[in-house]
Amino acid sequence: MEARERVLRDASASLADFIASDRPSRELVNETLELPAGADYVLIAETAAAEGGMPSLRLEKRRRLAQIATRDLCGELSLEEVAAALSDLADAWLEVCLTHLHAPAGMAVIGMGKLGGRELNYASDIDLIYVTDENVPRATKAASSLSAELGGHSPQGQPFRIDLNLRPEGRSGALVRSVEGCIEYYTRWAQPWEHQALIKARFVAGNASVGKEFVDRTRPLVYPSDVSPERIASIRRMKERIENHAARSLRGRKPDTADVKLGPGGIRDIEFSVQLLQLVHGGSDDLVRCPNTLEAIAALADGGYVAEDDGIALSEAYRWLRRVEHRLQLWQERQVHALPDRESDRTRVARSMGFRDTVDLSATANFDAAHRRVLSDVRSRFERLFYRPMIESLSEATGTRLSEEALRERLRVLGFRDAERAARNLGELVSGISRRAVLLRLLTPAMLRFLARTPLPDAGLLAFLRLSEGLEERPAMLGRFRDNPPGLEFLAAVLGSGRVLGELLEHVPEELTTIAAHATSPTGDHERKLKDRGRLVEEARASLAWREPEGRLQGLRRFKRREMVGMALADLGGEVDSSEVGKGLAHLAEACLEAALEDVHGRFAVIGMGKLGGRELNYSSDIDVMFVHDMDPSLAVTVGEGLVRAVGDVTPEGQTWRIDLGLRPEGKDGALVRSIDSSLEYYHRWAQPWEHLALIKARVAAGDPVLGQRLVDGTRSLAWPETSPQGAIGEIRHLKARMEKERIRRGTDARLNIKLGPGGISDIEFAAQLLQLQNAHEFSALRVTGTLEALEAATQVGVLPSDDAAILIDALRFLTQLRNRLFFMTGQPVDVLPSKLEDLEALGVALGFSHQPLQELQEAHLRTTRRARKVAERVIYG
């Protein structure tokens, strides 16, 4: 047996039996020439009919089917080529049959469904409509004969299953109508689903001018300039009826035997999504009026009606599902759409799809996993595309209303975890007759779609509700989003990022203006640039100028909150990266410190340490500081205590910054403030090596700049010594090891600790500081306070290979952004990756992973920290 025959035998028992007894078909199967083109099939069919009439024509059809199937199974044809070849085969046989039966010259055959779209299956029905411009009785006789000859059973088999139910009035209608009669029916009596079916109408055989007239005259009916909500609702109801019927027919079957055509995530989900979008946009854009599904997806994506990633994903999923459908149908040439229950049959399907056993899983298990991913992805995209807008389902004022159970299910599929609560929130959003309620009914459908793509849709929806309640008297604020999809999408991204920004926006709703302006300016004028330190200091002082003494703390907290929202918007909008955020937050902290010291008369300075000193704060950072003075000691203590209260105390308006004084001389046991001379004496006489290391980041943050710089300059010989004191490097290494051992909670996976875990932020910072400690005396470029700056300088001066520096820099940026996004989600300073899978997945979405967010995040985190750990160990431990 030839190899090609074995391939066909393994995938199709019926065709294998056929070619075993038919030599011409075996020759076609083993032939490797190009398949006939459409016109060539007509010549082939004419030759067969001339040699043996209809019996020969029916036999030749099956031979050509076997030829196409073999080329398909050998991987020589794409799905598009297979479907086109099967459709060309049907077109040609219809054409030749009409001629053979002496059909009237004015008769035409219109292909509908998959034949109309040139996407026929191996066992598809061919959906037909017969039309004529003359003698209807004669055309009816020819149509009846054609249906019997090509659609009836015979010794040569049944060439095609002919379905005439899509003709006007379906089974009750006349077999053949004039073009005028058809147009009258579609204009006056046709249901919305009948107009939808006409999307795929295509002339396939007979009189070309008559067939094209039919198609052309139905286009205005299929694609009106304005699609009514009732029509959209009707299409959705039909889809739901199809799903319910499919669910009943599959009741009792195993879950994995889902119907690839009608089940959730199946072919119909894609086709209905595409066709609804075609109906909505085809009236104004004739480029999307494609009968072929894959061509229609491409046209919708090119036109911007679906996102590019949705277009790509749906195209790939459609090819997958149609290939699975082909494999199911080829086995016995039957209309099969459900995966088989029996393991052996399932294995056959898996192998015919190219899957093989691996070390861990069988071919069947590998196929099942891939198939489930496709179904899940399609269903998710279908729910977003097919149910937008959802307004008629959510508001009593617009008519049809989803049942509570159906609404909860819809929201669950969209990605809302607590669908019941989300449904209640929706009810509150869209109920009532106020201007705000009417506006929210317009905004909510798109808002839901955009929220479904965010990390935490539930939190976003709740925040949208609270925000809208706060704007009851100012509906114009929300009105900025009415015809502004980019702005509304950005608002969803902000609210769906977690609880923090939603709560902050309730206090500073004026920032909605910035959000609404996002991505709407063609010149990019809306782009937010972070304010420099000088401007922030001026604005911080101005926020206190008019206040009574007891109100100054609240004023400072409101200023910090407003500016932090602005930075977060620039961050989420992609206008700044994590290092720019770190600098912006450091400038904001310094502005708050300067404002709090405005009325101080005397030489007092705040030294920034740690992340403040390095200008690399994150949203949840403490600010590490120490105070030095050259003034009356008791007055200095009063200033220091007042500054801690002004910036660090919690009030009804919140807290400006958490202040950490643990890096001051003698740490928690030391004096709150020290004189400049006492501070310098301490560092030169008693400070430990780790304190010298911490001085690398020392920088004047606020207060008297000359005094502060005196402390910084006076300790530079310790931060960047000419030679490190004996044992200092070893002690620092020992401290690093102790931190990893003692500060990571027992029983937890150290690898999940963003800060202290292997390859975490601490590894990177220690590596950079050790390079500075050992080399900055020789290379002035290393005398910087920022970690990223230090790593870049280390490469420039040749003490760190550029590849190693790139690994550490990329890791620090990744981990800093991860930490920031976790803060947006939780509102808490978090240094450990979430333990719940759904929270991990949300974090993956927050970081921009879209295909499989959970797995992509885990892989990226593991890959990044492993590489960073290897480099850091070489630098720190030698």
Short mmCIF file of all heavy atoms in Angstrom, two decimals, residues 547-565:
data_model
loop_
_atom_site.label_atom_id
_atom_site.label_comp_id
_atom_site.label_asym_id
_atom_site.label_seq_id
_atom_site.Cartn_x
_atom_site.Cartn_y
_atom_site.Cartn_z
N ARG A 547 -4.11 78.11 54.63
CA ARG A 547 -4.78 77.30 55.65
C ARG A 547 -4.46 77.79 57.07
O ARG A 547 -3.38 78.28 57.36
CB ARG A 547 -4.37 75.83 55.52
CG ARG A 547 -4.82 75.23 54.21
CD ARG A 547 -4.43 73.76 54.12
NE ARG A 547 -4.80 73.23 52.80
CZ ARG A 547 -6.00 72.75 52.50
NH1 ARG A 547 -6.94 72.73 53.43
NH2 ARG A 547 -6.26 72.31 51.29
N GLU A 548 -5.43 77.53 57.96
CA GLU A 548 -5.19 77.72 59.38
C GLU A 548 -4.21 76.64 59.84
O GLU A 548 -4.10 75.58 59.22
CB GLU A 548 -6.50 77.60 60.15
CG GLU A 548 -7.53 78.67 59.80
CD GLU A 548 -7.03 80.06 60.14
OE1 GLU A 548 -6.29 80.20 61.14
OE2 GLU A 548 -7.36 81.01 59.39
N PRO A 549 -3.50 76.87 60.93
CA PRO A 549 -2.50 75.89 61.39
C PRO A 549 -3.04 74.48 61.51
O PRO A 549 -2.37 73.52 61.14
CB PRO A 549 -2.07 76.46 62.75
CG PRO A 549 -2.28 77.93 62.61
CD PRO A 549 -3.51 78.09 61.75
N GLU A 550 -4.28 74.34 62.01
CA GLU A 550 -4.81 72.99 62.22
C GLU A 550 -5.17 72.31 60.90
O GLU A 550 -5.41 71.09 60.87
CB GLU A 550 -6.02 73.02 63.15
CG GLU A 550 -7.19 73.84 62.63
CD GLU A 550 -7.11 75.31 63.03
OE1 GLU A 550 -6.02 75.73 63.49
OE2 GLU A 550 -8.11 76.02 62.90
N GLY A 551 -5.26 73.06 59.82
CA GLY A 551 -5.63 72.47 58.53
C GLY A 551 -4.46 72.16 57.63
O GLY A 551 -4.63 71.63 56.52
N ARG A 552 -3.26 72.50 58.10
CA ARG A 552 -2.10 72.36 57.22
C ARG A 552 -1.77 70.89 56.92
O ARG A 552 -1.35 70.54 55.82
CB ARG A 552 -0.89 73.08 57.83
CG ARG A 552 -1.06 74.59 57.81
CD ARG A 552 0.01 75.30 58.63
NE ARG A 552 1.33 75.20 58.03
CZ ARG A 552 1.79 76.02 57.07
NH1 ARG A 552 1.00 76.97 56.59
NH2 ARG A 552 3.00 75.89 56.60
N LEU A 553 -1.95 70.02 57.92
CA LEU A 553 -1.66 68.61 57.69
C LEU A 553 -2.56 68.04 56.60
O LEU A 553 -2.13 67.31 55.72
CB LEU A 553 -1.84 67.81 58.98
CG LEU A 553 -0.86 68.09 60.12
CD1 LEU A 553 -1.10 67.12 61.26
CD2 LEU A 553 0.57 67.97 59.65
N GLN A 554 -3.87 68.39 56.68
CA GLN A 554 -4.81 67.90 55.67
C GLN A 554 -4.44 68.43 54.28
O GLN A 554 -4.52 67.72 53.28
CB GLN A 554 -6.23 68.32 56.02
CG GLN A 554 -6.91 67.41 57.02
CD GLN A 554 -6.48 67.70 58.46
OE1 GLN A 554 -5.54 68.45 58.69
NE2 GLN A 554 -7.15 67.09 59.42
N GLY A 555 -4.02 69.69 54.22
CA GLY A 555 -3.66 70.27 52.93
C GLY A 555 -2.49 69.54 52.30
O GLY A 555 -2.47 69.30 51.09
N LEU A 556 -1.50 69.19 53.12
CA LEU A 556 -0.34 68.49 52.59
C LEU A 556 -0.72 67.10 52.08
O LEU A 556 -0.23 66.65 51.04
CB LEU A 556 0.72 68.38 53.69
CG LEU A 556 2.16 68.06 53.23
CD1 LEU A 556 2.66 69.13 52.27
CD2 LEU A 556 3.08 67.95 54.44
N ARG A 557 -1.60 66.44 52.82
CA ARG A 557 -2.02 65.09 52.40
C ARG A 557 -2.82 65.14 51.10
O ARG A 557 -2.68 64.28 50.23
CB ARG A 557 -2.83 64.43 53.52
CG ARG A 557 -1.93 63.86 54.63
CD ARG A 557 -2.57 63.95 56.01
NE ARG A 557 -1.66 63.49 57.05
CZ ARG A 557 -0.57 64.13 57.45
NH1 ARG A 557 -0.23 65.28 56.88
NH2 ARG A 557 0.21 63.63 58.40
N ARG A 558 -3.67 66.15 50.96
CA ARG A 558 -4.44 66.27 49.72
C ARG A 558 -3.54 66.58 48.54
O ARG A 558 -3.74 66.06 47.43
CB ARG A 558 -5.51 67.37 49.88
CG ARG A 558 -6.63 66.97 50.82
CD ARG A 558 -7.52 68.15 51.15
NE ARG A 558 -8.47 67.80 52.21
CZ ARG A 558 -9.16 68.68 52.93
NH1 ARG A 558 -8.99 69.98 52.71
NH2 ARG A 558 -10.00 68.28 53.86
N PHE A 559 -2.55 67.40 48.75
CA PHE A 559 -1.59 67.70 47.68
C PHE A 559 -0.87 66.43 47.23
O PHE A 559 -0.77 66.15 46.03
CB PHE A 559 -0.58 68.74 48.18
CG PHE A 559 0.65 68.83 47.32
CD1 PHE A 559 0.60 69.48 46.10
CD2 PHE A 559 1.85 68.25 47.72
CE1 PHE A 559 1.73 69.56 45.29
CE2 PHE A 559 2.98 68.32 46.92
CZ PHE A 559 2.92 68.98 45.71
N LYS A 560 -0.38 65.68 48.20
CA LYS A 560 0.35 64.45 47.86
C LYS A 560 -0.55 63.47 47.11
O LYS A 560 -0.17 62.85 46.12
CB LYS A 560 0.89 63.81 49.13
CG LYS A 560 1.77 62.58 48.86
CD LYS A 560 1.05 61.28 49.14
CE LYS A 560 2.00 60.10 48.97
NZ LYS A 560 1.41 58.84 49.44
N ARG A 561 -1.81 63.34 47.56
CA ARG A 561 -2.75 62.41 46.94
C ARG A 561 -3.04 62.80 45.49
O ARG A 561 -3.04 61.97 44.59
CB ARG A 561 -4.04 62.38 47.76
CG ARG A 561 -5.07 61.40 47.29
CD ARG A 561 -6.18 61.28 48.33
NE ARG A 561 -6.77 62.58 48.64
CZ ARG A 561 -7.37 62.87 49.79
NH1 ARG A 561 -7.44 61.99 50.75
NH2 ARG A 561 -7.90 64.07 49.99
N ARG A 562 -3.25 64.11 45.27
CA ARG A 562 -3.56 64.58 43.92
C ARG A 562 -2.38 64.33 42.97
O ARG A 562 -2.56 63.86 41.85
CB ARG A 562 -3.90 66.06 43.97
CG ARG A 562 -4.30 66.65 42.62
CD ARG A 562 -4.73 68.09 42.74
NE ARG A 562 -3.61 68.96 43.12
CZ ARG A 562 -3.50 69.55 44.32
NH1 ARG A 562 -4.43 69.35 45.24
NH2 ARG A 562 -2.47 70.32 44.59
N GLU A 563 -1.19 64.63 43.44
CA GLU A 563 -0.02 64.45 42.57
C GLU A 563 0.29 62.97 42.33
O GLU A 563 0.71 62.59 41.25
CB GLU A 563 1.19 65.15 43.20
CG GLU A 563 1.09 66.65 43.28
CD GLU A 563 0.88 67.26 41.90
OE1 GLU A 563 1.48 66.76 40.92
OE2 GLU A 563 0.13 68.25 41.79
N MET A 564 0.02 62.15 43.33
CA MET A 564 0.26 60.72 43.16
C MET A 564 -0.71 60.14 42.13
O MET A 564 -0.32 59.28 41.32
CB MET A 564 0.09 59.99 44.49
CG MET A 564 0.40 58.51 44.41
SD MET A 564 0.43 57.77 46.06
CE MET A 564 0.26 56.05 45.67
N VAL A 565 -1.97 60.61 42.13
CA VAL A 565 -2.91 60.16 41.10
C VAL A 565 -2.39 60.53 39.72
O VAL A 565 -2.43 59.74 38.78
CB VAL A 565 -4.31 60.78 41.33
CG1 VAL A 565 -5.21 60.53 40.12
CG2 VAL A 565 -4.95 60.18 42.56
#
